[in-house]
Amino acid sequence: QVQQVESGGGLVQAGGSLRLSCTASEHSFRQYAVGWFRQAPGKEREFVAAIDWLHNTIYYADSVHGRFTISRDNAKNTVYLQMNSLKSEATAVYYCNVDGDVKRLPRGEYDYWGQGTQVTVSS
């Protein structure tokens, strides 16, 4: 069982940028597809972006396409989410999760979630 850890959140002004990191100590992490999700106050968790382990397949939610970029560095066992042109509606706790099949990630149907990292965008 891979236990992923999210980091990099913080407070940023609207229009600013943040880069989130998702990492795990397990060597097998680099062989999984990884997805980012977010949960805003009072709302359900939603899919943000996903990347397969070979970097060949990438998905984005329509709401972030063109402003967020997902990438990974398998040598560092880390997946990144670069968030640019942030809007106040991006305020949420951001989570990452793993799956053997990148196509399943957008469903977000997982029992285990880490603690996430808080992103707050001030307007």
Side-chain angles (χ1 to χ4, degrees), residues 48-105:
V48 175
I51 185 170
D52 74 343
W53 75 284
L54 285 173
H55 317 221
N56 291 339
T57 302
I58 291 177
Y59 299 132
Y60 292 104
D62 289 343
S63 58
V64 306
H65 200 280
R67 297 184 297 111
F68 290 14
T69 302
I70 189 170
S71 63
R72 68 190 301 163
D73 184 339
N74 286 337
K76 295 183 178 180
N77 245 25
T78 302
V79 173
Y80 303 100
L81 184 68
Q82 177 67 43
M83 306 186 295
N84 298 330
S85 303
L86 282 163
K87 305 176 182 179
S88 57
E89 49 263 43
T91 295
V93 179
Y94 284 71
Y95 303 86
C96 60
N97 220 317
V98 302
D99 201 304
D101 185 349
V102 68
K103 294 187 292 295
R104 284 199 296 257
L105 278 164

Side-chain angles (χ1 to χ4, degrees), residues 1-6 22-26 28-29 96 98 112 114:
Q1 174 71 42
V2 170
Q3 294 196 334
Q4 63 279 2
V5 177
E6 306 89 349
C22 172
T23 189
S25 59
E26 295 85 354
S28 59
F29 177 78
C96 60
V98 302
Y112 173 78

